């Protein structure tokens, strides 16, 4: 499992187009917010709804502003694994407290399929 920063450095080809904008938690004391631990494995779907692979997220959430939010420095992602045998050749993510989206591209020779998996805090 990789922290979100490690994930972007390791698997993303173009960091400049995948800037992570962090929510402003400066006015909140996360030490007082009740934390919940989550482990998700989600399918990566292409635009047609076909399953391309899976990705696992280990995360902690806190109740912030009355609803669950991901805590950025407590989120870890595994590298996407291929569902149909094609290896993942590129991946990136976008983060907000409300969701994490993992984008992945799988390749089989000259053929490529791209898709995404979306995680929401509970």
């Amino acid at each position: 499992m990789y922290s979100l920063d490690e994930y972007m450095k390791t698997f993303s080809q173009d960091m400049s187009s995948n800037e992570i904008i962090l929510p402003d938690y400066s006015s909140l004391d996360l030490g007082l917010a009740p934390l919940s631990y989550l482990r998700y494995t989600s399918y990566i779907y292409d635009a047609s709804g076909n399953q391309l692979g899976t990705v696992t997220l280990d995360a902690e959430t806190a109740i912030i502003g009355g609803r669950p939010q991901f805590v950025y420095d407590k989120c870890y992602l595994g590298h996407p694994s291929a569902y149909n045998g094609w290896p993942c050749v590129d991946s990136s993510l976008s983060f907000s407290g409300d969701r994490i989206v993992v984008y992945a591209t799988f390749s089989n020779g000259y053929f490529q399929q791209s898709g995404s998996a979306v995680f929401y805090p509970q």
Side-chain angles (χ1 to χ4, degrees):
M1 300 300 275
Y2 301 88
S3 71
L4 299 185
D5 289 329
E6 291 170 333
Y7 187 92
M8 291 296 284
K9 289 176 186 171
T10 304
F11 300 111
S12 180
Q13 300 296 321
D14 182 12
M15 290 274 298
S16 62
S17 65
N18 298 306
E19 180 181 355
I20 297 173
I21 300 172
L22 298 176
D24 182 13
Y25 293 143
S26 60
S27 63
L28 301 169
D29 184 358
L30 290 177
L32 299 177
L35 294 175
S36 297
Y37 173 79
L38 303 168
R39 176 162 222 166
Y40 293 113
T41 298
S42 183
Y43 288 106
I44 299 169
Y45 294 101
D46 68 9
S48 302
N50 299 315
Q51 294 177 358
L52 300 179
T54 60
V55 63
T56 301
L57 169 70
D58 284 349
E60 285 190 12
T61 62
I63 303 300
I64 301 170
R67 65 182 194 270
Q69 298 281 297
F70 287 115
V71 180
Y72 179 77
D73 59 355
K74 303 285 185 183
C75 295
Y76 296 88
L77 278 167
H79 187 256
S81 60
Y83 181 75
N84 60 3
W86 293 16
C88 181
V89 295
D90 187 29
S91 183
S92 62
L93 66 95
S94 67
F95 173 88
S96 72
D98 293 317
R99 70 183 191 152
I100 295 173
V101 183
V102 178
Y103 304 96
T105 301
F106 298 90
S107 178
N108 184 6
Y110 293 107
F111 302 103
Q112 288 192 340
Q113 286 277 87
S114 295
S116 62
V118 183
F119 297 95
Y120 296 99
Q122 294 180 353

